[in-house]
Amino acid sequence: MSYGDHIYVRRFGYSHHGIDCGDGTVIHFSGEPGKGKRSAAIVRSSMESFAQGGKVRTVAYGRRRSRKETVAAARRRVGESGYNLVW
C-alpha cells in the first residue's frame, strides 16, 4: 500500500474502504460506536484505527486519477457527513 491507494478491510458482512494518505493515516467514513451510520462523517485516522485488526488490502484499477488527485479529493471531503449505504 502506498500514497493514494484505494484500500479496504473486510469486516463482518461488509468491506470498509478508505484512501491511504501515505503517512500512516487513512481518509474514510467513520461513525461513533452505538450511534449508527447516520452520525458517520469522513475523517482522517490512523491505519490501525481504520484496520481494527483486519488485513488491509488494495483495490486494483486499470485507469484512475493520479495518486495526488485522489488524496486531494479525499482531503477536501474530510468533515462531510450524510453516509448512505447505497450511494
Side-chain angles (χ1 to χ4, degrees):
M1 289 165 293
S2 62
Y3 178 79
D5 278 347
H6 175 177
I7 59 175
Y8 70 100
V9 63
R10 291 185 179 142
R11 302 230 175 112
F12 185 73
Y14 70 101
S15 295
H16 185 61
H17 294 254
I19 301 297
D20 187 338
C21 294
D23 62 356
T25 65
V26 180
I27 297 174
H28 63 106
F29 258 113
S30 181
E32 290 184 44
K35 292 196 175 185
K37 294 296 179 193
R38 290 182 188 212
S39 69
I42 298 174
V43 298
R44 186 172 185 169
S45 63
S46 70
M47 183 69 72
E48 293 78 22
S49 176
F50 171 80
Q52 293 184 1
K55 181 179 179 179
V56 179
R57 304 166 191 264
T58 303
V59 177
Y61 289 96
R63 293 183 60 189
R64 56 173 277 186
R65 293 179 181 184
S66 75
R67 294 175 182 280
K68 188 174 182 177
E69 289 173 323
T70 299
V71 173
R75 283 183 179 147
R76 286 192 298 271
R77 297 196 60 199
V78 169
E80 287 183 16
S81 58
Y83 180 85
N84 184 306
L85 180 62
V86 177
W87 310 111

